[in-house]
Amino acid sequence: LDSLLQEIGMLLKVLLLSTLGILGAGGSVYEEDLLYDTFPAGFMWGAATAAYQVEGAWDEDGKGENIWDNFTRIEGKIKDGSSGDVACDSYHKYKEDVMLLKNMGLNSYRFSIAWTRVLPNGVGDVNPAGIQYYNNLIRELKAVDIEPVVTLYHWDLPQVLQDKGGWLNSSVLDWFEEYA
């Protein structure tokens, strides 16, 4: 019974603080013992995304085509016909996204780098605009004390490399090394 009463008290507290505008974006209060006093010092509270699912800007600033850009355009492959062409538009709204992370009290953000935003043809010429985007995102995160955690590959192989056999081609080791 005591445990149930404590839980109800916690929920009422959150409801009250939310109603008064004390808890939430811009003026968040992070004092709940359940959330913060039971984890070790340095615990990384974070969120995670994948480039294809949030960036959008699928063909802007020199980005090349990846396997998802291609797959979502094949009639009947995606039931509702949706794609990541615009997605959450994080490519243009990364500053707002970082502030959302900060306002949630997070201290880490795991994101993936779109291979085709950095190397539009999978290998070869580097896309300066792609490098600049990720540098800007990382600087913005660090400016508000959010630790960037980078994933180099999240299922968005460049289409030109898929056309050469993709992960089944032994050259993929060299392609990935060049990208990394």
Side-chain angles (χ1 to χ4, degrees), residues 161 164-173 175:
L161 300 183
K164 295 178 181 181
W167 290 104
L168 298 178
N169 184 326
S170 61
S171 295
V172 75
L173 299 171
W175 302 335

Side-chain angles (χ1 to χ4, degrees), residues 52-92:
Y52 183 77
Q53 297 168 338
V54 297
E55 286 180 11
W58 82 277
D59 65 348
E60 289 185 42
D61 292 339
K63 180 189 167 290
E65 185 179 28
N66 68 47
I67 57 176
W68 278 103
D69 295 324
N70 184 53
F71 184 79
T72 58
R73 286 175 174 64
I74 299 171
E75 186 70 33
K77 292 292 184 181
I78 306 295
K79 186 174 182 177
D80 67 357
S82 61
S83 72
D85 289 3
V86 177
C88 301
D89 200 22
S90 192
Y91 186 77
H92 298 108

Side-chain angles (χ1 to χ4, degrees), residues 28-130:
S28 299
V29 174
Y30 308 109
E31 60 183 52
E32 182 51 55
D33 292 346
L34 173 68
L35 297 177
Y36 289 91
D37 285 349
T38 58
F39 291 87
F43 186 84
M44 295 178 78
W45 287 97
T49 61
Y52 183 77
Q53 297 168 338
V54 297
E55 286 180 11
W58 82 277
D59 65 348
E60 289 185 42
D61 292 339
K63 180 189 167 290
E65 185 179 28
N66 68 47
I67 57 176
W68 278 103
D69 295 324
N70 184 53
F71 184 79
T72 58
R73 286 175 174 64
I74 299 171
E75 186 70 33
K77 292 292 184 181
I78 306 295
K79 186 174 182 177
D80 67 357
S82 61
S83 72
D85 289 3
V86 177
C88 301
D89 200 22
S90 192
Y91 186 77
H92 298 108
K93 298 179 178 180
Y94 69 91
K95 290 182 180 184
E96 294 170 52
D97 294 343
V98 169
M99 289 315 301
L100 288 170
L101 295 167
K102 184 64 178 176
N103 288 339
M104 286 190 289
L106 304 179
N107 61 13
S108 69
Y109 176 50
R110 201 281 302 160
F111 62 95
S112 67
I113 292 177
W115 189 334
T116 54
R117 197 169 297 285
V118 174
L119 293 172
N121 297 307
V123 294
D125 294 334
V126 173
N127 177 17

